[in-house]
Amino acid sequence: MSPTAQQPQPLRGAPEDKVQGFLSAPRAMLIGGAWVPSVSGRLLDTADPATGSILTQVPDGDEQDVDRAVTAARRAFEDTAWRRMSPMDRGMLLHRIADLIESHADELALLESRDNGKPVSVARAVDVGTSVKLFRYFAGWPTKLEGSTIPVSPRGGLRVLNYTTHHPVGVVGLIVPWNFPVSMACWKLAPALAAGCTVILKPADETPLSTLRLAEILTEAGLPDGVLNVVTGRGATAGAALAAHGGVDKIAFTGSTETGRSIVRAAAGNLKKVSLELGGKSPNIVLPDADPEAVAEAAAEAIFFNQGQVCTAGSRLYVHDALYDEVLDAVSARAEQIVVGPGDDPASEMGPLVSARHHARVTEFVQAGLHQGARLTAGGGRPDLDEAYAGGYFLRPTVFADADHGMRIVREEIFGPVLAAMRWRDVDDLVAKANDSPFGLSAGIWTSDLGHAHRIADELQAGTVWINCFNLTDPGSPFGGVKQSGWGREMGRKVLDLYTEVKSVWVNLG
């Protein structure tokens, strides 16, 4: 299932051969323009979620490797090849990156599917397609990071000129999640490079492969040595070392709220800047004048897209009592129709979960829903698949009816294909329950009364509210959360504030 509603497209050329070639070659980290092993020599397995088999190994980086990468990034930041590159040339470089990503789209999509589990069609349309759009959008910004001239009134009647300029924040550490590996990397890379920063990129240890291939593409585009460095490894070692390193000026993190708290604590040492895009438990609200059939399809899409492994997933479905039974029956029927299978099967609408550990976690939430009295109306277990996929991390799309706010499936982020549906009658009580969450990332509203929708949207505590749509994003529109869903905004003009410093210059004109 894809929010773009695009049908699976045949892969062009021979991406299978390219991916097999990539997987069969020894993998290394990118530090200072060179592909190198970890200092320790340790390796980390990365598995195919559809089978559980090992795809390849990558370096298991640690504090020593992070330190090498920070040194390389600092050297590149101070080098005139990058620091004094003209805004026009930097924009042209980002355009070349976008073109190269697009030319390797089928290969990247297949590699993403193998490492993450999602359908290739989704990886192609969403993950890779978004990455291309991001670089094209931010390629226009280096020539538009303008300062301003400020009319000031200094003491003593001095004649002065006061103006501001924007400067890159410096060396930034980017820590990205496993649910959209390549596009989440580009969410952060594109604005960081547009602003003139240098980067240490830490991919998730479950899904490092598309990020390593992306780094090869950026190097091919002509990025100077050391501007981009990639350190693979575990979050508790490489990720923690990057967050705590005194040579890093800023950390940008997407992931769990729990890990976000750890990053804030680690960043306190040198008071580095921090931006966080964290968890969510998004309410999806259906008003009594909505179209039940359209809502049911959209509600299924909102929770089951990307196997439910989406921070904005519409996991809390609030349906007005007048439509509840009709919508719930239709959502449950749609859940049962979704084809679950390996990502490289064109028939698959939903792939496996990312890892055995995550599969066990989501399954435990399903058991908690049953134990606490929610009514299972769809899914709940593994699908029947070919024996070749017996070791895969598959779970059927799952729907619970008659949930309440004391249940774990309503209170906690599951990050899987599990929907908790609830009735509502009073709109004030509805808004109170929708806001009764430590999270505030996104929300959805379905109605034919846009005036009513705007009033409810104004009351919802969320960084993004979708009305009669869900999970739409664009490089030009800011994205982020409130409460424990994060700090700062990704994308749009707002994200550049996270990667630049403003300098105020005063000139005595005599």
Side-chain angles (χ1 to χ4, degrees):
M1 302 174 69
S2 160
T4 59
Q6 296 189 17
Q7 295 299 312
Q9 299 178 6
L11 299 178
R12 299 191 302 271
E16 178 69 43
D17 293 341
K18 292 179 181 178
V19 167
Q20 286 304 118
F22 181 85
L23 294 176
S24 63
R27 301 267 53 88
M29 299 183 293
L30 179 63
I31 296 180
W35 292 95
V36 297
S38 63
V39 172
S40 69
R42 290 190 299 268
L43 295 171
L44 190 65
D45 291 338
T46 181
D48 180 348
T51 63
S53 61
I54 302 303
L55 286 168
T56 189
Q57 293 179 312
V58 300
D60 189 3
D62 59 21
E63 185 175 356
Q64 297 178 85
D65 303 293
V66 167
D67 191 58
R68 288 193 297 167
V70 172
T71 299
R74 180 62 61 187
R75 186 183 305 117
F77 182 70
E78 294 172 354
D79 193 293
T80 56
W82 180 246
R83 193 174 185 86
R84 296 189 180 175
M85 181 181 287
S86 74
M88 186 71 72
D89 286 344
R90 185 172 292 124
M92 291 172 63
L93 175 58
L94 267 60
H95 273 301
R96 285 199 300 277
I97 291 171
D99 291 342
L100 280 170
I101 293 173
E102 190 169 49
S103 69
H104 292 282
D106 292 333
E107 174 194 353
L108 282 168
L110 182 56
L111 187 60
E112 192 86 317
S113 175
R114 290 281 170 80
D115 205 19
N116 169 274
K118 67 182 66 186
V120 175
S121 58
V122 173
R124 178 68 172 80
V126 179
D127 299 60
V128 182
T130 296
S131 299
V132 173
K133 288 176 64 177
L134 281 159
F135 271 100
R136 287 194 174 138
Y137 173 81
F138 282 104
W141 270 110
T143 57
K144 300 171 185 67
L145 288 173
E146 302 168 341
S148 57
T149 302
I150 302 171
V152 292
S153 303
R155 64 181 180 274
L158 289 175
R159 291 182 65 248
V160 299
L161 170 67
N162 179 226
Y163 63 92
T164 60
T165 57
H166 291 265
H167 300 267
V169 73
V171 174
V172 299
L174 310 179
I175 303 176
V176 299
W178 47 255
N179 58 335
F180 294 95
V182 73
S183 61
M184 288 291 101
C186 292
W187 272 41
K188 292 172 169 48
L189 272 173
L193 296 177
C197 298
T198 57
V199 170
I200 303 99
L201 177 60
K202 161 64 177 71
D205 51 284
E206 296 92 341
T207 55
L209 299 181
S210 60
T211 304
L212 290 172
R213 184 67 186 101
L214 178 69
E216 292 180 349
I217 291 170
L218 266 66
T219 300
E220 181 183 346
L223 205 62
D225 292 348
V227 171
L228 169 63
N229 306 274
V230 180
V231 176
T232 55
R234 304 169 198 271
T237 50
L242 186 57
H245 201 290
V248 175
D249 301 304
K250 174 195 162 46
I251 286 286
F253 170 75
T254 295
S256 72
T257 298
E258 179 182 0
T259 303
R261 292 191 186 98
S262 298
I263 286 173
V264 170
R265 290 191 290 268
N270 68 334
L271 295 179
K272 59 174 62 68
K273 294 179 179 295
V274 177
S275 59
L276 305 169
E277 199 266 278
L278 305 176
K281 192 68 181 176
S282 300
N284 204 6
I285 296 167
V286 182
L287 274 61
D289 57 0
D291 178 348
E293 185 176 339
V295 163
E297 180 67 27
E301 182 78 22
I303 181 60
F304 300 131
F305 167 60
N306 206 52
Q307 298 73 250
Q309 299 170 148
V310 184
C311 53
T312 56
S315 54
R316 292 188 287 155
L317 182 63
Y318 295 90
V319 186
H320 189 271
D321 188 62
L323 300 180
Y324 182 82
D325 291 332
E326 184 177 359
V327 169
L328 184 63
D329 288 348
V331 171
S332 301
R334 178 68 185 107
E336 295 288 3
Q337 294 166 358
I338 292 171
V339 179
V340 181
D344 58 2
D345 183 343
S348 296
E349 296 179 271
M350 200 176 94
L353 299 179
V354 73
S355 67
R357 180 176 61 182
H358 189 58
H359 183 275
R361 180 180 183 276
V362 176
T363 300
E364 195 274 330
F365 271 106
V366 173
Q367 295 305 311
L370 292 169
H371 177 74
Q372 291 186 306
R375 178 165 57 92
L376 186 68
T377 61
R382 293 179 61 92
D384 293 325
L385 294 172
D386 186 274
E387 187 177 344
Y389 304 107
Y393 317 132
F394 295 95
L395 182 69
R396 292 164 57 203
T398 299
V399 178
F400 280 107
D402 306 332
D404 68 53
H405 280 256
M407 295 180 178
R408 290 184 60 203
I409 58 172
V410 175
R411 303 298 305 172
E412 300 178 40
E413 183 178 36
I414 300 172
F415 218 66
V418 180
L419 178 66
M422 292 159 281
R423 299 176 185 266
W424 69 272
R425 295 180 180 86
D426 177 76
V427 71
D428 292 331
D429 181 61
L430 163 73
V431 170
K433 286 180 175 176
N435 288 337
D436 182 20
S437 171
F439 302 109
L441 190 57
S442 64
I445 303 171
W446 299 88
T447 178
S448 58
D449 184 344
L450 291 181
H452 201 182
H454 282 297
R455 289 191 292 274
I456 294 176
D458 190 57
E459 295 295 323
L460 292 175
Q461 298 168 0
T464 297
V465 178
W466 291 290
I467 298 174
N468 295 331
C469 55
F470 207 91
N471 266 341
L472 296 184
T473 61
D474 186 88
S477 179
F479 177 86
V482 300
K483 298 191 285 187
Q484 294 183 33
S485 286
W487 293 352
R489 292 294 180 267
E490 303 271 11
M491 301 194 293
R493 174 63 181 86
K494 289 293 184 183
V495 72
L496 293 164
D497 294 339
L498 304 177
Y499 294 99
T500 57
E501 299 278 15
V502 177
K503 180 182 293 183
S504 178
V505 179
W506 292 73
V507 182
N508 186 347
L509 299 177

